[in-house]
């Protein structure tokens, strides 16, 4: 990249960071020593505000950078991510959004603990939530490193490493100082910037091809080097039986995983009523659906305008497709328009990463403090102590995410998020569904459901081609590959549900009918909800 690109993009980066830090500083002046203020922003956000914040929290680097790159490299098969990410919101809307808002206070564990023995359930659910959050954070760190390495024109790991460290420091600052209120407004600002930038790029792509989508697709197929196969299923997930099972496994993970993501579920606690939570989900579906429709155009646009070969030279996983497309649409390297458009898109992508990592860090630190710490602390400990623990947890989680982000910097961010979705669907979704809808569900069933999905998912990832045994693995020189699939969802998700059922039917505990009746009435009517 030229010096003009670097200077302008860095100025825009600095401007966004300055604005968000100003928001955080302003919010930090308000009293947020209470757990409700720190975790849920006082539950004062309107459905529209929360809908924008949810979309800002959900549309991450995996979507803005990773999905467009996968479509540009693999055509039709890359569309699986778009379909999975969007269809998942129907599960959230109809299955969990309103019910979770009615039954919990701050975290997923609140929903389960309402009718179970609190301590073992909170420890299990808190552990799973932190694990999912850290995996999701790693993807955002990888996206940040790829973006700034492109900006600085460096392929060495030094630029990526310092970028990951800087993003980690910023996210800790946002969460520890501003809590949920600052995080929410950062996500709203990011959502507006993201949608505006995506609309502008989509219009430019359509103008380049005179509004002819057929011409766009044909050109993309020609430049891909695969011809018509680029527009048909099977380029990435075809051929062998393992590739086809990977396709099914990834689809299950994406569709079911959103309903188990801690940072998404926590957003429904920031509105005052269950009706507002439901309306937030509707706003989110509209905004997120619009973005993904445009992402399809941009993915094929990157293949047609930039070309897969140039994308792979920049980043083998395709994470830089969107910035390179903007550079070309603006007039190419050295042009004023290209410089401006590239810088704007790079700044929007960086804003996306910062907003998402803030939301994930807040959710995971809430799980540490409200679930793990609260389960072990002495009775009658003040809530202010819990908030202090949450702030300290944000620092620790940031350090872990930075270390893992440096390790996985060569993998596609959408692929990494797919792994996080698989773990969320395996560990969190079974216990959530059983708690809300199964009258006989017991504490043992809840604990087994969490660990019965979490442990197999993590073990299968370690034993998969993701970690070792292939050229694109984290450790290509080591061979621990015993599980042939890259995504464990097709195995670990059913195991989570099976473990929950098995733990319940083998338990001597008798489910509390009164607590279940109370939970059922509360979840469906909102009576007694916080």
């Amino acid at each position: 990249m030229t010096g003009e690109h670097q200077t302008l993009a860095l100025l825009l980066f600095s401007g966004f960071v300055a604005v968000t830090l100003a928001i955080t500083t302003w919010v930090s002046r308000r009293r947020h020593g209470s757990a409700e203020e720190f975790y849920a922003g006082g539950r004062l956000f309107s459905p529209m505000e929360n809908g924008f914040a949810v979309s800002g929290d959900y549309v991450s680097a995996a979507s803005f950078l990773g999905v467009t790159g996968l479509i540009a490299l693999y055509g039709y098969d890359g569309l699986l991510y778009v379909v999975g990410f969007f269809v998942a919101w129907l599960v959230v809307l109809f299955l969990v959004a309103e019910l979770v808002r009615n039954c919990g206070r701050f975290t997923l564990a609140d929903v389960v603990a309402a009718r179970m023995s609190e301590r073992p359930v909170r420890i299990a659910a808190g552990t799973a939530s932190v694990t999912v959050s850290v995996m999701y954070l790693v993807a955002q760190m990888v996206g940040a490193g790829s973006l700034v390495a492109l900006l600085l024109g460096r392929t060495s790991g030094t630029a990526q490493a310092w970028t990951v460290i800087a993003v980690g420091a910023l996210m800790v600052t946002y969460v520890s100082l501003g809590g949920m209120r600052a995080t929410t407004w950062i996500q709203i600002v990011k959502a507006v910037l993201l949608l505006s930038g995506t609309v502008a790029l989509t219009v430019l792509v359509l103008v380049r091809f005179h509004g002819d989508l057929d011409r766009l697709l044909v050109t993309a197929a020609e430049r891909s080097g695969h011809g018509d196969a680029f527009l048909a299923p099977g380029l990435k997930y075809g051929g062998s039986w393992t590739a086809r099972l990977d396709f099914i496994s990834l689809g299950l993970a994406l569709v079911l995983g959103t309903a188990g993501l801690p940072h998404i579920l926590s957003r429904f606690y920031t509105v005052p009523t269950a009706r507002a939570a439901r309306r937030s989900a509707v706003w989110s579906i509209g905004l997120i659906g619009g973005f993904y429709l445009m992402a399809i155009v941009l993915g094929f646009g990157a293949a047609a305008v930039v070309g897969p070969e140039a994308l792979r030279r920049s980043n083998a996983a395709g994470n830089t497709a969107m910035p390179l497309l903007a550079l070309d649409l603006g007039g190419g390297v050295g042009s004023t328009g290209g410089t401006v458009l590239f810088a704007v898109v790079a700044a929007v992508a960086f804003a996306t990463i910062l907003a998402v990592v803030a939301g994930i860090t807040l959710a995971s630190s809430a799980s540490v403090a409200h679930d793990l710490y609260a389960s072990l602390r002495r009775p009658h400990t003040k809530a202010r102590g819990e908030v202090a623990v949450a702030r300290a947890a944000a620092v620790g989680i940031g350090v872990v995410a930075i270390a893992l982000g440096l390790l996985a910097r060569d993998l596609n961010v959408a692929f990494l998020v797919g792994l996080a979705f698989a773990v969320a669907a395996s560990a969190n979704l079974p216990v959530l569904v059983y708690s809300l809808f199964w009258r006989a569900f017991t504490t043992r069933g809840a604990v087994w459901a969490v660990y019965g999905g979490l442990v197999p998912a993590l073990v299968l990832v370690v034993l998969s081609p993701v970690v070792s045994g292939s050229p694109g693995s984290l450790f290509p020189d080591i061979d621990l590959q015993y599980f042939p699939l890259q995504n464990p969802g097709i195995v670990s998700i059913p195991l989570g549900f099976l473990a929950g059922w098995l733990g319940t039917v083998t338990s001597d505990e008798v489910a509390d009918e009164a607590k279940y009746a109370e939970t059922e009435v509360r979840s469906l009517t909102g009576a007694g909800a916080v």
Side-chain angles (χ1 to χ4, degrees):
M1 296 297 105
T2 64
E4 291 180 344
H5 287 91
Q6 296 176 17
T7 302
L8 184 56
L10 288 173
L11 285 174
L12 289 170
F13 283 173
S14 303
F16 178 80
V17 171
V19 170
T20 53
L21 286 176
I23 293 173
T24 303
T25 303
W26 174 71
V27 170
S28 66
R29 294 178 180 176
R30 301 172 59 93
R31 294 185 60 188
H32 53 270
S34 69
E36 182 174 7
E37 180 68 29
F38 187 80
Y39 296 144
R43 309 185 197 277
L44 299 176
F45 293 99
S46 69
M48 185 181 73
E49 291 171 342
N50 197 49
F52 270 88
V54 170
S55 61
D57 205 0
Y58 186 71
V59 180
S60 65
S63 299
F64 193 69
L65 300 176
V67 169
T68 52
L70 285 172
I71 294 174
L73 295 179
Y74 300 106
Y76 184 96
D77 281 10
L79 291 176
L80 174 65
Y81 286 86
V82 173
V83 175
F85 284 146
F86 182 55
V87 171
W89 272 97
L90 300 179
V91 179
V92 174
L93 175 62
F94 293 112
L95 193 63
V96 301
E98 183 175 354
L99 304 183
V100 165
R101 170 60 185 78
N102 287 340
C103 291
R105 292 185 64 211
F106 307 124
T107 65
L108 178 145
D110 288 336
V111 179
V112 185
R115 49 178 295 224
M116 310 290 176
S117 298
E118 282 206 35
R119 186 171 182 177
V121 166
R122 286 193 180 277
I123 291 174
T127 301
S129 295
V130 172
T131 303
V132 172
S133 297
V134 169
M135 293 182 70
Y136 209 105
L137 277 173
V138 170
Q140 311 310 311
M141 298 297 190
V142 171
S146 300
L147 181 69
V148 176
L150 172 66
L151 172 68
L152 298 178
R154 299 175 183 176
T155 57
S156 65
T158 305
Q160 295 187 32
W162 281 109
T163 301
V164 168
I165 293 170
V167 171
L170 284 170
M171 76 183 185
V172 170
T173 302
Y174 293 146
V175 172
S176 60
L177 291 181
M180 178 59 84
R181 193 183 296 273
T183 299
T184 299
W185 281 110
I186 291 168
Q187 289 163 348
I188 291 172
V189 172
K190 169 254 175 156
V192 173
L193 291 174
L194 175 69
L195 291 171
S196 301
T198 307
V199 168
L201 283 181
T202 302
V203 170
L204 289 174
V205 169
L206 294 176
V207 169
R208 173 71 66 92
F209 292 91
H210 306 290
D212 190 343
L213 292 177
D214 286 341
R215 183 182 172 190
L216 168 64
L217 296 176
V218 169
T219 306
E222 290 174 350
R223 294 205 63 183
S224 70
H226 299 286
D228 292 340
F230 189 72
L231 304 178
L235 191 59
K236 180 174 175 62
Y237 297 106
S240 66
W241 66 271
T242 54
R244 298 185 182 207
L245 282 179
D246 244 335
F247 183 90
I248 298 172
S249 185
L250 177 62
L252 284 173
L254 296 181
V255 171
L256 299 178
T258 300
L261 291 177
H263 66 290
I264 297 299
L265 294 177
S266 66
R267 288 241 51 94
F268 295 115
Y269 297 126
T270 64
V271 290
T273 64
R275 181 171 181 267
R278 188 170 61 250
R279 291 175 62 195
S280 295
V282 173
W283 270 99
S284 303
I285 288 174
L287 295 169
I288 292 168
F291 169 81
Y292 281 123
L293 286 175
M294 292 184 287
I296 296 173
V297 176
L298 295 176
F300 284 110
V305 175
V306 181
E309 292 184 5
L311 293 178
R312 286 192 174 93
R313 283 198 301 270
S314 172
N315 182 275
N319 293 330
T320 56
M322 190 77 87
L324 290 179
L325 174 62
L327 179 62
D328 199 297
L329 291 174
V333 177
S335 66
T336 302
T339 300
V340 172
L341 197 57
F342 172 88
V344 169
V345 169
V348 169
F350 200 66
T352 296
I353 292 166
L354 290 179
V356 173
V357 297
I360 301 169
T361 306
L362 179 60
S364 53
S365 63
S367 293
V368 171
H370 187 63
D371 298 328
L372 300 179
Y373 166 73
S375 299
L376 302 173
R377 73 181 183 187
R378 295 189 302 272
H380 312 301
T381 303
K382 293 182 180 180
R384 187 177 297 275
E386 182 180 310
V387 173
V389 171
R391 292 192 174 102
V395 177
I397 290 166
V399 171
V400 173
I402 287 170
L404 294 176
L406 294 175
L407 184 65
R409 60 177 178 261
D410 293 327
L411 298 180
N412 182 277
V413 289
F415 169 75
L416 289 172
V417 164
L419 294 181
F421 272 60
V423 177
S426 304
N428 290 343
L429 186 63
V431 70
L432 183 60
V433 171
Y434 281 148
S435 297
L436 291 172
F437 301 108
W438 190 11
R439 184 182 300 272
F441 197 44
T442 63
T443 300
R444 176 190 284 184
V447 174
W448 283 26
V450 173
Y451 292 127
L454 177 65
V455 174
L458 294 178
V459 170
L460 291 178
V461 169
V462 171
L463 300 179
S464 74
V466 175
V467 174
S468 65
S470 64
S473 301
L474 294 179
F475 303 104
D477 298 329
I478 303 175
D479 190 0
L480 299 174
Q481 180 183 335
Y482 297 100
F483 181 66
L485 305 184
Q486 292 187 330
N487 192 292
I490 195 171
V491 175
S492 58
I493 295 173
L495 284 179
F497 281 97
L498 178 62
W501 172 81
L502 189 62
T504 297
V505 298
T506 59
S507 174
D508 295 330
E509 177 187 355
V510 178
D512 192 324
E513 292 284 341
K515 283 188 176 181
Y516 175 77
E518 180 183 350
T519 300
E520 185 176 36
V521 171
R522 181 173 170 180
S523 66
L524 296 175
T525 67
V530 179

